[in-house]
């Protein structure tokens, strides 16, 4: 019997295709300015590092559900930042980074062949990958402005899970309360679970992002809703793999039961670090100010060189185009030593766009601005 490798179900890993352009950009006399992947470059906040070090002597197994103190810290943050009300310990669950969660969620919920997972386009590629890993069918959709239903999903049998992403990666688009409320109502009528990726919730620039758990969106009930949050960007903890879920207790209880068997445990020192990060809003505001300053100068430099921006009202990216195929833009910028991500990586609608990340040092952002102005 011939077995088909799991990797054969998946698309080519997109970042591998960028390597030749990365090499070209690295050849610039002043070095590469990498604005592609979006990995944090600023220091981990000192209180977080102290908490990690203090918990280093942790010889026992941690728990999948996390410590009570971690759950309290998550609940406190959710109350302050999402406006959620009525949540308790059963409504939260720490996870080992949000990408692991996105890729594994459909399978962990028992979604499989003959069933469908919907995701917005253009979008983070891992939504599609998670469906494919589970053997389910990925279904791209668009949410019309103010429309009562996700466009393209009016007659999709077998739909089990619908991803939301606001602020969006890659576009930076923010869905308002009316749009979010309409999608939640649409999904609840059909018994479809809504999972809202809100990893950039605290990074609104020209719009104020709203959580799916806000009472104005969900009516004060988390039924059928799960929000995904990460400390990678707000706290520079991408290397810690620190994230969490909040929402429907029944859904999170099922995930907890499955993840216990699989041993999906955040290391105890990381759990302690998460507590410190979630209980301290000051460092997150300082980091936000850094990104705002970088965004302002990079935005003006791109506009000055004939780029136009779509959405980009939030998140850590500028969604830019100059009306040509995205790979031409990538190639042209690589000759200036600037590496960006082609919009094609993110599916339909991205063919003439590039995603420009704000996650570079002030010195590298300044270098990019100089090169764009040359």
């Amino acid at each position: 019997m011939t077995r088909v490798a799991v990797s054969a179900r998946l698309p080519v890993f997109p970042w591998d295709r960028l390597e030749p352009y990365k090499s070209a950009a690295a050849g610039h006399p002043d070095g590469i300015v990498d604005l592609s992947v979006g990995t944090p470059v600023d220091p981990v906040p000192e209180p977080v590092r102290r908490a990690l070090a203090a918990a280093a002597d942790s010889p026992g197994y941690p728990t999948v559900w996390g410590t009570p103190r971690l759950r309290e810290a998550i609940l406190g943050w959710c109350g302050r930042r999402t406006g959620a009300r009525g949540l308790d310990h059963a409504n939260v669950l720490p996870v080992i980074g949000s990408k692991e969660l996105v890729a594994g969620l459909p399978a962990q919920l028992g979604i499989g062949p003959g069933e469908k997972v919907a995701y917005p386009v253009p979008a983070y590629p891992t939504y599609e990958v998670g469906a494919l890993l589970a053997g389910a069918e990925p279904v791209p959709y668009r949410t019309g402005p103010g429309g009562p239903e996700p466009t393209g999903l009016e007659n999709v049998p077998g739909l089990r899970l619908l991803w939301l992403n606001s602020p969006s990666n890659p576009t930076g688009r923010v869905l308002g309360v009316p749009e979010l409320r309409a999608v939640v109502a649409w999904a609840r009528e059909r018994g479809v679970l809504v999972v809202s990726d809100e990893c950039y919730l605290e990074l609104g620039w020209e719009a104020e992002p709203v959580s799916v758990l806000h009472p104005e969106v969900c009516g004060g009930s988390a039924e059928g809703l799960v929000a995904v949050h990460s400390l990678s960007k707000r706290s520079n903890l991408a290397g810690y793999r620190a994230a969490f879920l909040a929402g429907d207790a029944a859904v999170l209880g099922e995930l907890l039961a499955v993840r216990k068997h699989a041993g999906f445990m955040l290391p105890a020192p990381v759990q302690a670090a998460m507590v410190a990060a979630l209980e301290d809003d000051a460092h997150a505001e300082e980091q936000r100010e850094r990104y705002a300053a970088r965004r302002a100068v990079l935005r003006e430099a791109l506009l000055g060189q004939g780029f136009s921006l779509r959405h980009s009202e939030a998140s850590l990216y500028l969604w830019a185009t100059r009306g040509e195929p995205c790979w031409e833009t990538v190639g042209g910028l690589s000759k200036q030593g600037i590496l960006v991500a082609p919009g094609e990586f993110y599916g339909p609608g991205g063919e003439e766009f590039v995603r420009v990340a704000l996650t570079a040092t002030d010195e590298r952002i300044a270098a990019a601005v100089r090169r764009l102005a040359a």
Side-chain angles (χ1 to χ4, degrees), residues 6-351:
V6 174
S7 61
R9 303 180 197 167
L10 307 178
V12 174
F13 187 62
W15 298 102
D16 290 345
R17 299 170 59 198
L18 200 57
E19 282 301 316
Y21 300 93
K22 185 175 183 178
S23 296
H28 191 278
D30 187 36
I32 187 173
V33 179
D34 192 343
L35 307 178
S36 61
V37 176
T39 188
V41 298
D42 298 303
V44 173
E46 184 61 33
V48 177
R49 284 186 276 170
R50 286 199 303 267
L52 183 81
D57 186 14
S58 298
Y61 289 112
T63 65
V64 173
W65 199 16
T67 63
R69 189 176 175 194
L70 174 55
R71 297 195 297 271
E72 285 291 342
I74 293 172
L75 289 167
W77 183 89
C78 284
R80 296 193 309 276
R81 294 306 195 190
T82 74
R85 298 292 178 265
L87 300 185
D88 204 342
H89 285 233
N91 298 105
V92 297
L93 179 66
V95 296
I96 312 166
S98 58
K99 183 166 186 173
E100 169 265 308
L101 184 282
V102 172
L105 183 63
Q108 291 172 30
L109 290 175
I111 298 171
E115 297 177 313
K116 299 179 176 65
V117 173
Y119 63 95
V121 288
Y124 183 46
T126 312
Y127 303 135
E128 179 186 13
V129 167
L132 294 172
L133 285 172
E137 179 183 347
V139 181
Y141 76 90
R142 297 182 186 277
T143 302
E149 296 181 346
T151 305
L153 294 182
E154 291 81 358
N155 298 296
V156 179
L159 182 61
R160 290 278 310 280
L161 187 157
L162 183 143
W163 283 102
L164 283 175
N165 182 209
S166 174
S168 165
N169 174 13
T171 70
R173 181 187 179 193
V174 172
L175 299 178
V177 169
E179 292 170 295
L180 291 170
R181 187 191 296 128
V183 173
V184 168
W186 183 93
R188 281 175 168 169
E189 287 174 5
R190 292 159 177 79
V192 175
L193 175 66
V194 173
V195 184
S196 181
D197 182 347
E198 302 175 356
C199 290
Y200 301 95
L201 188 74
E202 295 184 278
L203 296 169
W205 313 115
E206 298 165 8
E208 187 62 37
V210 181
S211 172
V212 75
L213 298 178
H214 193 284
E216 292 185 10
V217 174
C218 67
S221 168
E223 181 182 357
L225 307 174
V226 174
V228 182
H229 290 280
S230 168
L231 302 185
S232 292
K233 304 304 193 294
R234 81 177 289 276
S235 301
N236 299 327
L237 296 188
Y240 285 46
R241 310 315 300 136
F244 61 90
L245 308 179
D248 191 319
V251 176
L252 298 192
E254 173 65 12
L255 285 173
L256 177 58
V258 171
R259 292 169 72 86
K260 282 180 178 178
H261 282 287
F264 286 141
M265 300 173 285
L266 269 169
V270 174
Q271 294 190 32
M274 287 180 70
V275 172
L278 289 165
E279 291 181 346
D280 175 29
D281 294 332
H283 79 268
E285 186 56 38
E286 291 175 7
Q287 187 60 44
R288 173 186 164 83
E289 290 173 3
R290 292 188 190 104
Y291 284 134
R294 292 166 185 167
R295 178 182 184 273
V297 295
L298 196 53
R299 179 181 184 277
E300 290 306 308
L302 289 168
L303 293 174
Q305 290 303 303
F307 283 89
S308 60
L309 303 179
R310 183 77 56 84
H311 299 302
S312 304
E313 60 259 27
S315 83
L316 288 182
Y317 311 106
L318 295 170
W319 190 234
T321 181
R322 54 188 181 193
E324 64 188 9
C326 60
W327 287 104
E328 288 187 24
T329 308
V330 170
L333 289 174
S334 72
K335 294 174 183 177
Q336 296 177 275
I338 301 170
L339 188 68
V340 297
E344 184 183 291
F345 281 5
Y346 306 96
E351 295 86 355

